[in-house]
Amino acid sequence: VRDLSPIPLYGSSMPPAVAEHISFVFEQLMGRDGTKIGVSKVRQLHDNSNYFRQRLADMGLIIHGDRDSPIIPIMLYNPSKIAAFSRECLKRNLAVVVVGFPATPLILSRARICVSAAHTRADLDRALDVIDEVSELIDIKYKAPMAAPAWPKSQEGSPKSVKETSGFKAGEEPVMNSLIDLI
């Protein structure tokens, strides 16, 4: 506390009550206050973080950060998805923090989820349901398996070949001279 206090920079001291509370919290977290409250909170935070992180990964979302960290970044990538993700989550009564340029590189936009020891499993599951629904809506499940394209059926009931659906006659090959032709 002494090394990191703002006294040398700002000239104002930390109020004694705040310093005592910080000291008490550290004692409680280490179990030196005679209770198991701090230890149980740290364990609950650890369990909640890993549960939430694993469920997000199972959904097909790209997540970053340390495994046990309660701060879980969900990668949005496209800057246009920042506002969409935030608004759609808020419509479903879930507030999220989104971060984009200039705080991150332009194409590394993300939503930052902060998990707490106070969250219940029901709280986490509800948030996961909303995130799952919104991520489907705005298409950010980059790790999810892609569905096979729905090819038109031929008269016999089997899928038509690409050549049959491309508008080219049998034996005729498409000529692509540039990227524009490909698009």
Side-chain angles (χ1 to χ4, degrees):
V1 174
R2 285 184 192 150
D3 292 338
L4 300 175
S5 76
I7 294 169
L9 297 174
Y10 302 110
S12 59
S13 62
M14 184 181 298
V18 172
E20 180 59 31
H21 186 70
I22 292 170
S23 178
F24 171 75
V25 168
F26 284 133
E27 294 295 318
Q28 190 177 52
L29 286 173
M30 292 183 280
R32 294 182 188 158
D33 66 337
T35 68
K36 301 277 187 215
I37 294 172
V39 174
S40 68
K41 291 287 185 189
V42 171
R43 184 173 313 286
Q44 184 65 35
L45 180 59
H46 175 267
D47 293 345
N48 283 353
S49 300
N50 287 337
Y51 171 76
F52 202 82
R53 182 179 296 278
Q54 186 59 52
R55 289 280 312 274
L56 289 172
D58 292 345
M59 283 181 207
L61 297 170
I62 296 177
I63 52 176
H64 286 288
D66 294 330
R67 176 171 158 65
D68 295 329
S69 175
I71 301 168
I72 305 168
I74 300 171
M75 299 309 292
L76 304 175
Y77 293 110
N78 190 334
S80 66
K81 295 187 180 193
I82 298 170
F85 187 80
S86 179
R87 287 186 185 133
E88 291 300 324
C89 285
L90 193 57
K91 280 182 191 175
R92 292 158 178 81
N93 296 319
L94 179 68
V96 296
V97 175
V98 289
V99 184
F101 183 80
T104 66
L106 188 60
I107 58 169
L108 293 180
S109 305
R110 62 196 72 194
R112 188 173 288 148
I113 309 297
C114 298
V115 178
S116 166
H119 288 125
T120 65
R121 207 39 75 99
D123 294 335
L124 298 176
D125 287 337
R126 186 191 166 290
L128 287 162
D129 290 342
V130 169
I131 291 170
D132 188 35
E133 182 181 342
V134 171
S135 63
E136 285 282 336
L137 179 69
I138 67 168
D139 197 27
I140 60 169
K141 290 188 174 185
Y142 301 114
K143 288 172 75 173
M146 295 179 67
W151 294 105
K153 301 279 184 185
S154 65
Q155 290 178 346
E156 295 82 35
S158 61
K160 291 182 177 180
S161 71
V162 174
K163 286 184 182 178
E164 288 178 292
T165 60
S166 66
F168 292 99
K169 296 178 183 158
E172 186 180 334
E173 293 293 324
V175 177
M176 290 186 221
N177 296 321
S178 69
L179 183 59
I180 300 300
D181 292 337
L182 180 64
I183 296 173

